[in-house]
Amino acid sequence: MSGTTAPAAERNEGAADAFEQLERYTRFWNTGPEGGRHRLASEVFTDTVEYRAAVGFLRGAAALADFRDQFVSHRGPATVRRRERPEVHHGRARLRWEILTGDGTSFATGTDVIEFDEDGRISAITAFLDRAPEGFDPTAHH
């Protein structure tokens, strides 16, 4: 069948289901450097993944991992959990999350709008705060 385009299912044969990918995405945020985070990042993100949030703009999985590590070093242990089943359509997802501190206290809630590339990896995240952390000043970030 030369000269024809393979059906999308064949082109994306190795791509993970979006819900499985979102499960890996959540695990990425909850995994430290010693827990296989680098492997997770290569499965979940494109090389040039972009992350936009009130705290700034990040590019690449290493920048996201560094952001997570800085948060944990400043605030202590934290866990990201999904608040409900994500919604997925047309190559995008909406994932509502909550960050819990080490003692189980709710730190913040938010919603990520996630874009997938043709292979099912995450290429962009736009994070919105639904409930900002106490004392959060959005003007303090760029």
Side-chain angles (χ1 to χ4, degrees), residues 50-111:
E50 294 181 348
Y51 180 86
R52 290 173 172 82
V55 296
F57 173 80
L58 305 171
R59 178 172 283 149
L64 273 67
D66 186 53
F67 175 61
R68 181 255 184 217
D69 292 344
Q70 287 179 31
F71 179 87
V72 170
S73 71
H74 179 70
R75 299 290 310 173
T79 302
V80 174
R81 73 169 188 89
R82 293 185 313 216
R83 295 187 286 159
E84 58 191 47
R85 182 171 170 82
E87 296 173 84
V88 177
H89 65 80
H90 296 94
R92 288 175 176 63
R94 178 170 67 172
L95 184 143
R96 295 174 187 221
W97 49 263
E98 178 177 32
I99 298 173
L100 302 172
T101 60
D103 66 0
T105 302
S106 180
F107 177 76
T109 62
T111 301

